Amino acid sequence: MFDIRGFFAGPFESLKRMKRLVMFFMATHVVFLVFGQWMVAKGYPTVVALRETQLKAIQELMYLKPLTGALAESLALKVLYTFFFNLSFGAFLSTTLGGVLFFLPYVIAVWRAFVIGMLVQGLAVSPLMAAVFYATFVLEFSAYAVTSAIGTDFGLTLLWPGYRGKETRKEALSLVVRDGARLYVFVIILLFIGAVWEIGWLHYLGPLIPPPVGK
């Protein structure tokens, strides 16, 4: 019989070691999401103009084309596509490998949360659509907080092996890799549930962010 407690024992042990970094990135995402919404609500011209530019750019993003094109009729394929895209590009390549420059995951977290905050502020959405967005945000950005913590931990360890309490860089990096691999269990679960939740609803309700006026 599959031992669930034993399976998650390692990931939870690693999460305890990195909980401060994970919480830091969770707070970063929330703060800059709210900040982006606030700046649009206050009507700052530069931010409002940036928001309009981003809304138009979304319609042309290549990675979204399959969701409205070849995969449009298949809910299962859209879920899998979204999951693997978020896992590979949204999580691993950007915020985990990006940690080679230890500050890069933080920059990405700030920008990503700020832009999302700008885009959703003031949109005429129903309470249901708002629930779809905020639940998706919690699931996906919790995963990104974990991957950002892994990347930052990796970058800091490259610069300062003693940060991990080890005498050599090899020992420190070995611990980082082990913890990172364990924590990706949570990342995979969160991103998969997030993809099912988001795409499942949007498959029937339509896009969360509608095309800008005149598009």
Side-chain angles (χ1 to χ4, degrees):
M1 182 179 291
F2 180 68
D3 182 6
I4 295 180
R5 292 183 62 182
F7 179 76
F8 283 102
F12 274 113
E13 178 185 339
S14 296
L15 184 61
K16 287 180 181 179
R17 275 196 289 270
M18 295 182 61
K19 64 180 179 181
R20 291 185 179 179
L21 268 178
V22 172
M23 294 302 295
F24 170 76
F25 277 104
M26 285 184 174
T28 296
H29 285 124
V30 172
V31 167
F32 282 93
L33 173 83
V34 174
F35 186 54
Q37 292 177 310
W38 178 80
M39 292 197 77
V40 172
K42 290 295 183 179
Y44 287 93
T46 302
V47 177
V48 172
L50 177 61
R51 177 178 182 270
E52 291 303 314
T53 300
Q54 291 293 320
L55 282 172
K56 292 177 182 178
I58 284 175
Q59 312 306 316
E60 305 301 326
L61 291 176
M62 292 303 298
Y63 74 85
L64 293 179
K65 297 294 186 182
L67 295 177
T68 56
L71 306 180
E73 300 303 318
S74 174
L75 175 58
L77 289 178
K78 287 196 295 185
V79 167
L80 290 175
Y81 174 83
T82 301
F83 165 69
F84 282 112
F85 183 89
N86 289 343
L87 180 63
S88 57
F89 291 97
F92 184 71
L93 292 177
S94 61
T95 57
T96 299
L97 286 186
V100 171
L101 301 175
F102 72 92
F103 58 85
L104 188 58
Y106 178 74
V107 174
I108 292 172
V110 168
W111 175 248
R112 184 182 275 167
F114 181 74
V115 169
I116 294 298
M118 284 194 312
L119 293 179
V120 300
Q121 175 61 31
L123 294 178
V125 296
S126 66
L128 176 58
M129 292 297 282
V132 171
F133 164 73
Y134 284 108
T136 301
F137 176 83
V138 169
L139 290 165
E140 292 185 356
F141 279 70
S142 292
Y144 296 150
V146 174
T147 59
S148 297
I150 295 169
T152 303
D153 190 47
F154 177 64
L156 288 173
T157 303
L158 281 175
L159 289 175
W160 178 29
Y163 160 76
R164 272 293 197 151
K166 300 296 182 180
E167 294 184 359
T168 68
R169 181 171 281 105
K170 182 178 179 180
E171 290 178 324
L173 288 175
S174 176
L175 182 58
V176 169
V177 170
R178 185 183 67 182
D179 282 345
R182 287 175 170 179
L183 288 173
Y184 256 85
V185 170
F186 295 127
V187 174
I188 290 169
I189 292 172
L190 287 167
L191 289 180
F192 183 75
I193 295 174
V196 171
W197 171 264
E198 178 186 19
I199 301 303
W201 279 108
L202 299 187
H203 183 74
Y204 299 105
L205 298 178
L208 180 63
I209 299 176
V213 176
K215 183 68 176 177

